[in-house]
Amino acid sequence: MQALINVFVVLLTIILMECFSWFIHKYLFHGPLWFMHKSHHEQSKSFFEWNDLFAFIFAGISLFLMYIDKENLGVKFSVGLGISLYGMIYFVVHDWFVHRRFKAFKSNNSYLRAVRKAHKIHHKNMGKKNGKAFGLLFVRKKVTN
């Protein structure tokens, strides 16, 4: 039964991370943390951006949660694992597919095309204010139509 609960917690964490990411992207990254996030909206001068530090912050949180619950493999471990899996999904979809930081794959999948289109809509606005489409994985039809 505990294994089933852990799987549920991991999946729920992945879903909640998308919601949380939307919130912090809109209200923190395009707010008080713009000084770091703006590197993602500017022409890149190198492979790494200041914005990449956010990935390390979330990786640290997830590793910490997994470490402190490594003996029990309970809820904290499952939340940490969910954050890590979300980070991997985000990395593949956002960095590989949408921004093509690695020229690894292309796809004509309609969902992935909608994700790319929504993100391009977000990047049309190069500034801190008046942004649209702050999420990544949940794409609203009205944004891409």
Side-chain angles (χ1 to χ4, degrees):
M1 186 65 174
Q2 184 63 42
L4 193 58
I5 292 170
N6 288 353
V7 168
F8 175 76
V9 169
V10 168
L11 294 174
L12 181 63
T13 300
I14 292 169
I15 293 167
L16 292 175
M17 279 301 296
E18 173 66 5
C19 300
F20 182 65
S21 293
W22 176 91
F23 180 84
I24 63 173
H25 186 185
K26 181 170 183 166
Y27 295 107
L28 294 179
F29 293 3
H30 283 259
L33 297 178
W34 176 251
F35 70 98
M36 284 175 58
H37 182 64
K38 73 178 176 182
S39 68
H40 184 63
H41 286 266
E42 297 172 342
Q43 186 67 30
S44 184
K45 296 170 185 70
S46 69
F47 183 75
F48 291 105
E49 308 167 346
W50 279 104
N51 188 68
D52 294 333
L53 288 176
F54 293 120
F56 288 105
I57 292 168
F58 284 111
I61 292 168
S62 67
L63 290 172
F64 173 75
L65 288 170
M66 288 188 287
Y67 179 78
I68 63 172
D69 200 19
K70 69 183 182 293
E71 303 298 324
N72 300 323
L73 300 180
V75 172
K76 291 175 192 163
F77 186 89
S78 298
V79 169
L81 181 59
I83 293 170
S84 290
L85 290 173
Y86 178 79
M88 287 185 242
I89 293 165
Y90 191 93
F91 177 74
V92 169
V93 173
H94 182 262
D95 291 319
W96 275 10
F97 182 71
V98 173
H99 285 288
R100 299 184 183 208
R101 285 175 85 173
F102 303 96
K103 310 278 191 256
F105 74 95
K106 293 181 180 180
S107 175
N108 286 323
N109 176 279
S110 59
Y111 167 72
L112 290 175
R113 282 195 326 252
V115 167
R116 180 184 286 132
K117 186 175 181 183
H119 203 71
K120 287 184 182 218
I121 288 168
H122 176 71
H123 278 271
K124 274 188 175 181
N125 176 21
M126 299 297 277
K128 179 178 176 179
K129 306 256 186 234
N130 303 318
K132 292 183 177 134
F134 290 96
L136 180 68
L137 302 177
F138 301 154
V139 180
R140 293 181 7 207
K141 284 191 179 214
K142 76 175 196 173
V143 171
T144 59
N145 287 336

